[in-house]
Amino acid sequence: AQSVTQPDIHITVSEGASLELRCNYSYGATPYLFWYVQSPGQGLQLLLKYFSGDTLVQGIKGFEAEFKRSQSSFNLRKPSVHWSDAAEYFCAVGASSNFGNEKLTFGTGTRLTIIP
Amino acid sequence: DARVTQTPRHKVTEMGQEVTMRCQPILGHNTVFWYRQTMMQGLELLAYFRNRAPLDDSGMPKDRFSAEMPDATLATLKIQPSEPRDSAVYFCASGLIRGTGTEAFFGQGTRLTVV
């Protein structure tokens, strides 16, 4: 069965500083990987996804993530964070089935706090 | 702007009562998911449907939970009888699955409190 580990429960970053959120996955086949963001009281919004091809993927709001098969990682990065980036971030892996890769397993999330 | 709509946004009910949560998926999407989010367990997949047919409900307590799609514009999740441990945020998500490689779009959730 697939699993996702987000080792950092809470990260605090100064506004304007760079950000990297870690994500490690366990899956026997080629993974389909996602990063979602959740603001308080809101649903999850997709930031970016990796299915195949270029291992560096660009997403919305200036985020990017790099798939590293050798490290089983899919870390999320942003060169300069804004106060509006404060939220909970979830990494997820999609499991393949007879129908596709739609069954998502989520990590426990990383809460991002931005300080002025 | 297409979005997944969930009702109600908040629900407080007494233990033993029936609770029904509703979801309107994005028009044209063929797959609907129900997730539950709690502090202890995080995000768990309860059930999902493809073209209104249930594909997997292994994450759902069968004795009290049921999920249906009466038509393509409505998915329901019902709990009967409800228990305090069911208190959580329930998310509906929809997606257009075409072979492999798609994403799920989430609604804003129903925050359920069972007292």
Side-chain angles (χ1 to χ4, degrees), chain B residues 30-100:
Chain B
N30 61 358
T31 305
V32 175
F33 310 82
W34 283 105
Y35 284 88
R36 176 171 64 184
Q37 185 178 37
T38 61
M39 290 292 291
M40 294 300 296
Q41 300 297 325
L43 279 155
E44 306 171 278
L45 178 64
L46 297 176
Y48 75 104
F49 295 77
R50 170 73 50 75
N51 296 323
R52 296 176 55 201
L55 287 190
D56 188 343
D57 61 0
S58 59
M60 204 164 64
K62 300 292 191 304
D63 56 339
R64 298 183 300 108
F65 284 60
S66 62
E68 296 179 346
M69 278 201 76
D71 61 62
T73 64
L74 177 64
T76 62
L77 180 66
K78 190 174 297 185
I79 308 174
Q80 167 63 19
S82 58
E83 298 180 0
R85 59 179 168 153
D86 301 328
S87 297
V89 181
Y90 291 81
F91 287 104
C92 175
S94 71
L96 180 59
I97 309 297
R98 293 171 291 195
T100 58

Side-chain angles (χ1 to χ4, degrees), chain A residues 36 38 42 51 101-103, chain B residues 9 37 48 56 101 104 108:
Chain A
Y36 282 85
Q38 183 180 30
Q42 301 298 312
F51 292 153
N101 65 308
E102 67 275 16
K103 290 182 67 172
Chain B
R9 290 292 311 280
Q37 185 178 37
Y48 75 104
D56 188 343
Q108 293 190 296

